[in-house]
């Protein structure tokens, strides 16, 4: 039958015999590097938890030495400091968004995902993190709109894996193509494919 003639699927271990010696060495180095990275990350997490536990224990021990009045005063100071910090963050956010609204409007056309492979989509997501970082620290930030981002596409998946992406200030993500969001005569399209560059 056709099933008997089908080529069996090869697993990762089965492919090792088809790889050259240099390719096997490279894969071994990559696996070792990945394992070291995972171990290093786990160590950082454990260290962070240990330090947090030590701080909590020290704070608890210190509270036992204070009178109820001193504890109440300390909590008042902490609550006031927290409220001040939240207010400053709100003011900073409002001022940043005001600058974005007054600045240049930048649109990134992501409607070519069908012509990109997953690796290129991941690379694009990384490049957008650089755009966000630069814009967040710019003296005159811009409002950045990503158009043509499919919710089920590789670009959207890669972006959503970035910690805090959903809280990026000055970034707007739209599913629609850019011509459905902005009037075409309001756009200056920059591309390396232009004959005018």
């Amino acid at each position: 039958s056709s099933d008997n003639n089908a080529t069996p699927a090869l697993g990762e271990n089965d492919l090792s015999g088809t790889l050259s010696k240099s390719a096997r060495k490279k894969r071994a180095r990559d696996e070792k590097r990945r394992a070291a990275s995972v171990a290093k990350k786990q160590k950082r997490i454990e260290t962070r938890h240990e330090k947090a536990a030590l701080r909590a224990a020290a704070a608890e021990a210190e509270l036992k030495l204070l009178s109820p009045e001193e504890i109440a005063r300390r909590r008042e100071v902490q609550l006031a400091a927290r409220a001040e910090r939240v207010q400053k963050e709100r003011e900073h956010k409002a001022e940043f968004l005001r600058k974005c609204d007054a600045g240049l409007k930048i649109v990134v056309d992501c409607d070519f995902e069908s012509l990109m492979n997953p690796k290129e989509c991941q690379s694009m997501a990384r490049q957008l993190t650089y755009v966000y970082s630069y814009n967040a620290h710019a003296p005159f930030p811009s409002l950045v709109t990503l158009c043509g981002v499919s919710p089920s596409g590789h670009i959207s998946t890669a972006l959503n894996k970035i910690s805090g992406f959903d809280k990026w200030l000055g970034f707007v993500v739209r599913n629609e193509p850019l011509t459905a969001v902005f009037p075409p005569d309001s756009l200056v399209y920059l591309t390396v494919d232009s004959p005018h560059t």
Side-chain angles (χ1 to χ4, degrees), residues 147-167:
C147 287
V149 180
S150 171
S152 58
H154 292 295
I155 294 176
S156 179
T157 300
L159 286 172
N160 285 308
K161 286 182 179 179
I162 299 171
S163 178
F165 168 68
D166 58 330
K167 297 180 177 64

Side-chain angles (χ1 to χ4, degrees), residues 52-99:
L54 289 173
R55 285 195 300 270
E60 185 177 353
E62 187 178 0
L63 282 176
K64 291 179 180 179
L65 301 176
L66 301 177
S67 67
E69 293 79 11
E70 290 173 323
I71 292 175
R73 281 199 298 271
R74 173 171 291 195
R75 286 177 178 168
E76 287 177 3
V77 171
Q78 290 174 340
L79 288 173
R82 184 181 303 169
E84 183 180 0
R85 192 165 57 247
V86 169
Q87 181 61 26
K88 285 184 178 179
E89 289 175 356
R90 286 175 179 168
E91 291 173 358
H92 171 75
K93 178 179 178 180
E95 177 64 12
F96 180 81
L97 293 176
R98 185 194 67 76
K99 288 182 177 180

Side-chain angles (χ1 to χ4, degrees), residues 22-73:
S22 61
R24 288 198 300 271
K25 285 184 177 180
K26 182 180 182 302
R27 188 169 70 172
R29 284 196 304 269
D30 290 343
E31 290 174 352
K32 185 177 180 180
R33 198 158 40 235
R34 281 196 297 269
S37 177
V38 170
K40 188 176 180 180
K41 182 178 180 181
Q42 183 62 32
K43 181 64 177 177
R44 284 200 305 268
I45 293 173
E46 291 174 358
T47 301
R48 196 158 56 238
H49 288 170
E50 289 172 2
K51 288 181 178 179
L54 289 173
R55 285 195 300 270
E60 185 177 353
E62 187 178 0
L63 282 176
K64 291 179 180 179
L65 301 176
L66 301 177
S67 67
E69 293 79 11
E70 290 173 323
I71 292 175
R73 281 199 298 271

Side-chain angles (χ1 to χ4, degrees), residues 111-184:
D111 208 22
F112 295 93
E113 182 174 332
S114 60
L115 304 177
M116 302 163 65
N117 60 45
K119 188 175 181 180
E120 290 170 332
C121 292
Q122 292 174 2
S123 176
M124 183 173 183
R126 282 195 302 272
Q127 292 175 58
L128 289 172
T129 64
Y130 305 146
V131 174
Y132 164 72
S133 179
Y134 181 84
N135 194 54
H137 296 92
F140 303 102
S142 301
L143 179 65
V144 181
T145 303
L146 310 182
C147 287
V149 180
S150 171
S152 58
H154 292 295
I155 294 176
S156 179
T157 300
L159 286 172
N160 285 308
K161 286 182 179 179
I162 299 171
S163 178
F165 168 68
D166 58 330
K167 297 180 177 64
W168 281 10
L169 290 180
F171 262 67
V172 178
V173 180
R174 301 290 296 265
N175 304 333
E176 307 94 327
L178 64 87
T179 52
V181 180
F182 300 96

